[in-house]
Amino acid sequence: MNAEETISGKEKLWNGILEMAQQMGFAACGCARAVPLSGSLEEQQYMQAHEKGHFGRMEYLRRNIDKRMDPALLLPGAKSVIVFLAPFSGGGPCISSDGLRISEYALGEDYHKVIKDKLFRIASFIEDSIKTKKSCRVFTDSAPVMERAWAVRAGLGFIGKNNFLISPQAGIKNFIGTVITVAELPYADKTVPNGCGQCSRCLDACTGKALYSPYSINASKCMSYKTIEAPLEDADNERTTYDPPVSYSYKWIFGCDDCMNACPWNRFNKPGWKEFSVNCKVLEGFSAKGWMDMAEEDFNEKFGNSPLLRAGLKKIRQNILR
């Protein structure tokens, strides 16, 4: 096969991937060469956060760091990391009648499954095209993959001062999915320059001061960490009764969007997939009393296929009463 045929084959495959991504509703798609991140700025920043204890009790961030920094350890022979942005913007967080807030990303179905189902179809297309089985692996916030770093290298955006990926074309509210493959593809030839400038709105909006300086976050102080990932308090100290009236003008009970919502790049957000907002109206109807009166079985029936399951009903109750 000569060079012209090789390039033509890559471009044909890549065009097919782009077409599928567009048909599936992804806001953007890009590709980076699969190389180790060892010695990179991304690795340095990650290890600094690790050494400072900024991961809180999220032990999974301390495991498999070698795999996190080298895609070939996740898929032997990896040559390409394809990155996809799936929009979830729906106009803001869910707010109940008494001011309880739930992060916008958690208002629908489990995004891991929704996105992976589409990425598996793209992976099958790649494997059929190159006639090589098990030549792809699919990830969505579920394995040791430096998704934001790969998105930057794939030319999809830059990392903002709030540590989120920001896309000039698709804003800030996007899930990131990746396909690592042994197929060679056209790679992004340039990265997007940082667009934060002198803006510090995200830092100003972080009430817990988890964003202690631009591009630096102590996750253990983040409201999202506290309301989702932080361990349950001692059961002996948990309040079990609800004494109305209780009214909150501003209280996160699952996640926190403050730094994200403060970002001017929100004006470029794409409409979120409908799967990511199917529970919005239901959740708006739950007051503090509704959550306190809910049975575990009802919670699992209503939200068993939702990001809310990550925290669980008991944790959400503790968040209301804290």
Side-chain angles (χ1 to χ4, degrees), residues 17 26 28-32 68 71 74-75 80-86 111-112 115-123 126 136-152 154 156 165 175-181:
I17 294 169
F26 286 105
C29 174
C31 188
R68 198 176 291 275
L74 295 168
L75 178 69
S80 305
V81 181
I82 315 171
V83 187
F84 303 81
L85 301 186
Y111 63 92
H112 301 91
I115 297 171
K116 276 187 172 181
D117 284 349
K118 297 189 179 188
L119 295 186
F120 279 127
R121 287 161 55 192
I122 291 175
I126 295 171
C136 297
R137 288 197 67 183
V138 166
F139 304 95
T140 303
D141 191 27
S142 58
V145 178
M146 298 283 280
E147 294 170 322
R148 287 172 296 174
W150 289 114
V152 170
L156 297 187
L165 177 81
F175 296 118
I176 303 176
T178 59
V179 175
I180 299 177
T181 177

Side-chain angles (χ1 to χ4, degrees), residues 210-226:
L211 288 170
Y212 60 92
S213 66
Y215 314 106
S216 299
I217 182 170
N218 183 346
S220 64
K221 292 184 177 182
C222 176
M223 185 58 68
S224 280
Y225 169 79
K226 291 179 179 180

Side-chain angles (χ1 to χ4, degrees), residues 25-131:
F26 286 105
C29 174
C31 188
R33 189 183 300 276
V35 296
L37 297 177
S38 54
S40 66
L41 177 61
E42 295 96 336
E43 183 193 45
Q44 294 173 24
Q45 292 174 332
Y46 192 92
M47 296 311 298
Q48 286 173 2
H50 181 12
E51 292 162 4
K52 290 179 179 179
H54 288 175
F55 293 158
R57 298 285 289 275
M58 295 181 285
E59 295 301 321
Y60 61 89
L61 294 178
R62 299 182 175 89
R63 297 192 295 265
N64 299 311
I65 293 178
D66 56 340
K67 292 181 180 179
R68 198 176 291 275
M69 298 301 163
D70 187 355
L73 296 179
L74 295 168
L75 178 69
K79 291 185 175 64
S80 305
V81 181
I82 315 171
V83 187
F84 303 81
L85 301 186
F88 64 83
S89 177
C94 171
I95 307 175
S96 70
S97 59
D98 50 358
L100 303 181
R101 294 190 172 203
I102 293 175
S103 183
E104 193 168 358
Y105 87 88
L107 303 183
E109 299 174 15
D110 184 346
Y111 63 92
H112 301 91
K113 183 179 186 304
V114 173
I115 297 171
K116 276 187 172 181
D117 284 349
K118 297 189 179 188
L119 295 186
F120 279 127
R121 287 161 55 192
I122 291 175
S124 294
F125 168 73
I126 295 171
E127 291 181 344
D128 290 343
S129 297
I130 66 174
K131 297 179 173 54

